[in-house]
Amino acid sequence: MSAALPFAAVGTSLIAARQASAIGSFNQAVAERNATIAEQEAEAQKKLTTYNLNKFNQSFEKLQSRTRVSLLKSGVELSGTALKILQSNAEQAELQRNVIEYNGQVAEAKKLEEATFARISGTLARRQANLAALGYISQAGTSLLSMKQVGLI
């Protein structure tokens, strides 16, 4: 039994190397899945921005129509102050559209950054696992070399 003990250490090191590699692969797969989810969320954010812009445009058109109707009902011509009101509304609406687009782009970029970071983390986890596996293999080699020097093999 004592003669088999050094070989058990070599076997254990090789098994640990295989497990380290498997763990690295698993962690990389999890990170890749997280990256895919973040990319899907970025695409959803892009669609949400488009939806919000369309909804805002509809609301703004209703507001402009109501304002125009109110002005015309009161007997005011669409010139001078009345025209300035409509023009001011249009300018404010354009600013609001820009804010909606900007916020949507920032949220989308944040999700894409999360995806990139997840992929980098996955690659790093895989490389760390490969280094750990290499360490275990090196341990097995050292054990074999020691056994050869002692005359066990």
Side-chain angles (χ1 to χ4, degrees), residues 89-110:
N89 287 349
E91 289 169 0
Q92 291 300 313
E94 189 58 33
L95 288 174
Q96 188 61 35
R97 282 186 200 98
N98 290 342
V99 168
I100 292 169
E101 285 177 0
Y102 175 78
N103 289 340
Q105 289 170 352
V106 167
E108 181 183 355
K110 182 179 176 189

Side-chain angles (χ1 to χ4, degrees), residues 48-110:
L48 179 63
T49 299
T50 301
Y51 171 80
N52 287 342
L53 279 171
N54 288 337
K55 188 126 175 119
F56 175 77
N57 286 335
Q58 287 174 349
S59 296
F60 174 69
E61 287 304 319
K62 285 180 184 177
L63 171 72
Q64 281 293 75
S65 296
R66 285 186 194 138
T67 303
R68 192 176 292 117
V69 167
S70 294
L71 290 169
L72 292 173
K73 258 184 161 179
S74 65
V76 176
E77 290 185 25
L78 289 180
S79 62
T81 304
L83 192 57
K84 285 181 182 180
I85 290 171
L86 293 173
Q87 192 173 20
S88 175
N89 287 349
E91 289 169 0
Q92 291 300 313
E94 189 58 33
L95 288 174
Q96 188 61 35
R97 282 186 200 98
N98 290 342
V99 168
I100 292 169
E101 285 177 0
Y102 175 78
N103 289 340
Q105 289 170 352
V106 167
E108 181 183 355
K110 182 179 176 189

